[in-house]
Amino acid sequence: MYHFAHLTNAADIIRSGKILSRHKAEVLKNGFSNAAGNVVARRDEAHNYARFYFRPQTPTQFYNEMLGMNESDPYYQRALLLGSPKCPVPVFFRFPLSEVLDTNAGRCNVSDGNMQTNWAQVFPIGPELFQNFDFNFLYKTFEDILQLTKTEVSNYDRAYFRQILNGFLQRLQSASQQEFLVKDYFELEKIAGIEIIVPNENARRALIQMIGSDHIFAERIQIDNGWLNIFHYKNAAVNFDGEQLTFKTTYSRPHELIFESQSAGETEITDGFPLKQSSQQVTAMKHISLRLKPNIPFTLKFRDEKRQEWVIFENQNPQIAIYGDHIY
């Protein structure tokens, strides 16, 4: 069972020990970063639950992961209709379903599709759910669908092939986004088998900085090394080279990279496209390289075309040393 959130939201989840429904999260607010674009406004019922998928790499993640779609991407217009959703530094939580059911008896439901659609139904765990849940297409991939279509259409008829393929793809889109729902909140510390998965070493370092190296979940944070198959790694992103202190992005729409530090005014800009430098902030486009004094705390943010800001990396405690799987 999977739940993903942007870096700062994931840190809040870990520190609080709970995944909250959107209603509960908005009551507390505290810097909540919305990764859902316009889709979140469609259906209020979804906001009563802490929401999970049964798999990674859903259509939602396809559009949301990292900085979302660039103008050159074939699905860019669709992304615009969805409100250009983003999850700049996605963090995945993975839980054993058996443990979740054991620790949340009476509070669990399942939907037969994405809860932000107008048609998905919610069922309690029981016979009616099993009659409506699409087990067969839940874990299928596009490659599976292509092979299934080729098997179904024996003689090559392009129009008929496309018709069958589109039908299977629509079913895959619905089945892959069936949701596991827990009323109001979900407590992490009740789950012994929790895993926390990030896309790269910078995300791991930033998350440990945010929750503290002594947190009980700090050593549960692992990088998707390929075989976990959690992330697409295809969308635009912000990349950070800690050795050279270089920040750069492949995002094509209007944006700013923001470097914040008490020593920003004394920071040397060695390369890139700076827009402004003040005593506590440097802003740039596309990329920037900096030279800092040793052990200077700083935060890197990305500001998108809607002027929404996202924390990409944070080094507020340079004394924390992280070597491989060991934290000191």
Side-chain angles (χ1 to χ4, degrees):
M1 201 175 83
Y2 298 83
H3 178 91
F4 75 96
H6 175 62
L7 175 67
T8 50
N9 294 345
D12 287 342
I13 287 170
I14 295 170
R15 285 191 296 251
S16 69
K18 292 180 180 179
I19 296 174
L20 301 176
S21 69
R22 184 168 287 266
H23 280 323
K24 295 286 186 183
E26 288 180 343
V27 168
L28 296 175
K29 210 69 177 180
N30 190 30
F32 175 74
S33 296
N34 175 25
N38 296 336
V39 179
V40 71
R42 287 187 187 172
R43 185 174 177 180
D44 190 64
E45 183 185 3
H47 304 166
N48 294 320
Y49 300 98
R51 298 166 59 193
F52 306 84
Y53 290 121
F54 291 92
R55 55 171 290 174
Q57 300 201 8
T58 64
T60 295
Q61 183 187 342
F62 177 77
Y63 285 100
N64 288 32
E65 188 177 298
M66 309 298 183
L67 301 182
M69 299 291 167
N70 265 335
E71 293 167 306
S72 59
D73 291 320
Y75 296 96
Y76 174 70
Q77 292 300 323
R78 173 63 177 163
L80 282 183
L81 292 174
L82 295 172
S84 299
K86 299 173 181 65
C87 187
V89 185
V91 177
F92 263 81
F93 296 85
R94 182 160 66 178
F95 310 96
L97 183 56
S98 58
E99 283 193 64
V100 174
L101 290 169
D102 288 343
T103 56
N104 292 274
R107 300 175 53 238
C108 300
N109 294 276
V110 174
S111 72
D112 60 355
N114 190 319
M115 283 293 289
Q116 295 301 158
T117 65
N118 297 321
W119 54 264
Q121 301 179 79
V122 176
F123 301 95
I125 309 297
E128 189 179 7
L129 164 64
F130 301 134
Q131 293 170 8
N132 289 275
F133 193 83
D134 192 342
F135 291 93
N136 290 333
F137 271 58
L138 176 61
Y139 295 110
K140 288 195 183 301
T141 64
F142 177 77
E143 290 73 21
D144 296 331
I145 296 304
L146 199 58
Q147 187 58 47
L148 187 61
T149 307
K150 290 177 181 177
T151 303
E152 186 82 9
V153 184
S154 53
N155 55 337
Y156 189 77
D157 181 319
R158 182 171 294 182
Y160 182 56
F161 184 92
R162 177 62 62 181
Q163 177 185 343
I164 298 299
L165 177 63
N166 286 341
F168 282 150
L169 287 174
Q170 288 177 8
R171 183 176 171 186
L172 172 64
Q173 182 171 5
S174 299
S176 65
Q177 296 190 100
Q178 295 171 116
E179 297 186 41
F180 190 93
L181 308 165
V182 181
K183 184 71 172 176
D184 291 332
Y185 64 89
F186 174 83
E187 295 180 292
L188 273 61
E189 293 183 6
K190 291 184 177 181
I191 309 300
I194 180 175
E195 297 174 79
I196 302 170
I197 306 164
V198 296
N200 52 52
E201 178 62 26
N202 285 331
R204 188 171 83 96
R205 287 172 177 266
L207 189 55
I208 291 170
Q209 288 272 347
M210 290 176 180
I211 67 173
S213 59
D214 57 349
H215 195 284
I216 59 170
F217 289 149
E219 294 196 358
R220 296 289 188 95
I221 301 169
Q222 59 181 305
I223 300 168
D224 181 0
N225 53 16
W227 64 268
L228 291 175
N229 206 28
I230 299 293
F231 300 100
H232 293 286
Y233 294 111
K234 293 181 179 179
N235 291 352
V238 176
N239 301 304
F240 166 54
D241 182 342
E243 296 291 328
Q244 303 297 323
L245 219 60
T246 296
F247 314 112
K248 59 184 178 180
T249 179
T250 54
Y251 195 60
S252 63
R253 301 193 69 191
H255 67 273
E256 292 177 1
L257 298 173
I258 304 170
F259 171 83
E260 292 183 344
S261 172
Q262 294 296 321
S263 302
E266 305 168 21
T267 299
E268 180 184 354
I269 301 171
T270 59
D271 192 18
F273 300 96
L275 300 173
K276 183 180 179 182
Q277 183 171 11
S278 66
S279 62
Q280 297 187 9
Q281 191 177 89
V282 177
T283 60
M285 284 187 63
K286 288 296 181 183
H287 84 272
I288 188 166
S289 295
L290 306 168
R291 183 174 289 123
L292 285 184
K293 296 177 181 177
N295 299 322
I296 296 296
F298 67 88
T299 299
L300 173 67
K301 295 180 179 178
F302 174 84
R303 181 184 289 147
D304 68 14
E305 67 278 10
K306 298 177 183 178
R307 310 295 291 175
Q308 181 172 355
E309 292 184 6
W310 312 78
V311 174
I312 301 299
F313 186 82
E314 188 170 271
N315 186 32
Q316 293 302 323
N317 188 356
Q319 303 308 315
I320 294 179
I322 303 170
Y323 302 102
D325 294 331
H326 304 288
I327 305 165
Y328 303 95

